[in-house]
């Protein structure tokens, strides 16, 4: 069982940066693939980024590739998402998710979810 709690969201001006954190409970955090998804009002939840259990592999959606970094600290049981050059279209609730086994970008594959943190980018 894993419980996830996101933090770090807020109101940011376009062009700014934000770092989201996701703190996990549970003894087997290091065995999980961790991912970030986001959901804007009226839209389907979409993949943002994922990281392998060791941190050696990372995956990004095209929409954030080149301006975001996902990382993890297994000792702190925390995964991070840093996004630069924020755009109004990045506005969404950002969710942290975890799963065992291989990486997928499909949110239906993820077992554990946080409650989400709101990111609002003003133009």
């Amino acid at each position: 069982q894993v419980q996830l709690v996101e933090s770090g969201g807020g109101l940011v001006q376009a062009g700014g940066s934000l770092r989201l954190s996701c703190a996990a409970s549970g003894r087997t955090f290091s065995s999980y693939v961790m991912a970030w998804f986001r959901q804007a009002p009226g839209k389907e939840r979409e993949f943002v980024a994922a990281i392998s259990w060791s941190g050696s592999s990372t995956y990004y959606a095209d929409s954030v590739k080149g301006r975001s970094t996902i990382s993890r600290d297994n000792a702190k049981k925390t995964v991070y998402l840093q996004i630069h050059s924020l755009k109004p279209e990045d506005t969404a609730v950002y969710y942290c998710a975890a799963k065992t086994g291989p990486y997928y970008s499909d949110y239906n594959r993820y077992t554990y979810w946080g409650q989400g943190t709101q990111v609002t980018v003003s133009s």
Side-chain angles (χ1 to χ4, degrees), residues 18-21 36 48-49 60 64 68-71 79-83 94:
L18 208 60
R19 189 175 86 153
L20 306 179
S21 299
W36 288 93
V48 177
Y60 297 95
V64 300
S68 66
T69 302
I70 186 171
S71 60
V79 62
Y80 306 96
L81 178 69
Q82 179 121 34
I83 308 180
Y94 283 70

Side-chain angles (χ1 to χ4, degrees), residues 39-112:
Q39 189 166 18
K43 294 189 176 181
E44 191 170 331
R45 192 166 297 191
E46 66 173 2
F47 170 75
V48 177
I51 187 167
S52 63
W53 66 269
S54 66
S56 61
S57 297
T58 56
Y59 314 88
Y60 297 95
D62 288 342
S63 58
V64 300
K65 193 175 294 182
R67 60 186 184 94
S68 66
T69 302
I70 186 171
S71 60
R72 68 189 294 163
D73 185 334
N74 285 341
K76 295 183 178 179
K77 297 182 181 179
T78 302
V79 62
Y80 306 96
L81 178 69
Q82 179 121 34
I83 308 180
H84 303 286
S85 303
L86 282 159
K87 308 173 184 179
E89 50 264 44
D90 292 319
T91 295
V93 177
Y94 283 70
Y95 296 92
C96 177
K99 68 178 300 295
T100 56
Y103 146 77
Y104 287 99
S105 61
D106 180 355
Y107 66 84
N108 290 300
R109 296 281 192 166
Y110 287 77
T111 308
Y112 302 105

